[in-house]
Amino acid sequence: MKGIAMKKQLLILLLLLMSFTAQAQNNRQNQPRRQFDPAKFEADMEQFVTTEAGLTQQESAKFLPLYREMRKKQMALFGEGQQAKKTDWNDEKTCEEAIRKHDKNEIKMKEIQQLYHNKFLQVLPATKVMRVIIAEDKFHRQSMRRVADRHQKKN
């Protein structure tokens, strides 16, 4: 079940990046410019997660530094995965290497997630950690809907 959640998160992040690429292409066509702000995205996600999980100020003060560490490590791996887009898809060896690297990164992502879930459990009750996990998924789904809605309105 954790593997499915992680794949959903990776898919959401990939779709977000694809939508931003499409938006950048639209901007070149003299359409109104709307830039993605990663810091705002992270701040909005933290606010949403802490609110949805019902974290107190004391819990947030303990949880958020750990959460930021986790996200930083995940995003570093995600960035490495973006290199696969530069792979020559007609070269068997290069594709095989990209696939193996992708698989290793997914395993590392799950290991990071597991490590930090254990850390979260040291500072929060399990019920709130579960709420955090669900809230993060919910935030990503809502973000994707907003991006899709904006994209539909442009077309």
Side-chain angles (χ1 to χ4, degrees), residues 3 24 28-29 33 40 47 101 115 117 121 128 130 135 137 153:
R28 286 186 220 137
Q29 298 171 357
R33 194 168 197 181
K40 182 176 180 345
Q47 180 62 49
K101 184 170 182 153
L115 173 71
H117 285 174
L121 288 167
K128 291 202 176 181
M130 192 65 180
D137 287 343
K153 288 177 185 177

Side-chain angles (χ1 to χ4, degrees), residues 10 76-87 92-111:
L10 287 173
L77 281 175
F78 184 75
E80 285 180 26
Q82 294 304 303
Q83 295 301 318
K85 289 182 179 181
K86 298 176 183 174
T87 299
E92 283 293 320
K93 185 178 179 191
T94 305
C95 284
E96 183 178 342
E97 289 170 2
I99 290 166
R100 293 190 190 286
K101 184 170 182 153
H102 168 78
D103 290 348
K104 284 181 184 177
N105 280 350
E106 286 221 3
I107 291 168
K108 286 180 187 176
M109 286 281 243
K110 290 309 294 176
E111 289 170 346

Side-chain angles (χ1 to χ4, degrees), residues 10-122:
L10 287 173
L11 178 61
I12 289 168
L13 287 172
L14 179 62
L15 290 172
L16 278 171
L17 288 172
M18 287 173 37
S19 70
F20 299 130
T21 301
Q23 184 178 3
Q25 289 173 350
N26 286 339
N27 287 343
R28 286 186 220 137
Q29 298 171 357
N30 295 325
Q31 291 189 1
R33 194 168 197 181
R34 183 178 247 160
Q35 296 240 328
F36 175 69
D37 181 354
K40 182 176 180 345
F41 181 84
E42 290 292 326
D44 290 346
M45 183 167 52
E46 286 179 9
Q47 180 62 49
F48 184 86
V49 167
T50 55
T51 301
E52 285 283 310
L55 302 184
T56 65
Q57 285 184 336
Q58 293 82 9
E59 289 170 331
S60 293
K62 293 176 185 175
F63 166 75
L64 286 174
L66 294 172
Y67 186 72
R68 289 178 188 129
E69 277 179 31
M70 180 186 78
R71 296 284 302 154
K72 184 177 180 181
K73 290 179 181 180
Q74 287 175 326
M75 292 311 293
L77 281 175
F78 184 75
E80 285 180 26
Q82 294 304 303
Q83 295 301 318
K85 289 182 179 181
K86 298 176 183 174
T87 299
D88 178 1
W89 291 19
N90 296 313
D91 181 349
E92 283 293 320
K93 185 178 179 191
T94 305
C95 284
E96 183 178 342
E97 289 170 2
I99 290 166
R100 293 190 190 286
K101 184 170 182 153
H102 168 78
D103 290 348
K104 284 181 184 177
N105 280 350
E106 286 221 3
I107 291 168
K108 286 180 187 176
M109 286 281 243
K110 290 309 294 176
E111 289 170 346
I112 289 168
Q113 191 176 44
Q114 183 180 35
L115 173 71
Y116 279 89
H117 285 174
N118 287 329
K119 288 182 179 188
F120 297 165
L121 288 167
Q122 292 175 4

Side-chain angles (χ1 to χ4, degrees), residues 12 16 41 48 52 135-150:
I12 289 168
L16 278 171
F41 181 84
F48 184 86
E52 285 283 310
E136 186 177 30
D137 287 343
K138 185 177 177 181
F139 179 83
H140 286 295
R141 282 193 312 274
Q142 289 178 356
S143 296
M144 284 307 303
R145 269 191 229 114
R146 282 191 299 271
V147 169
D149 289 346
R150 274 189 243 130

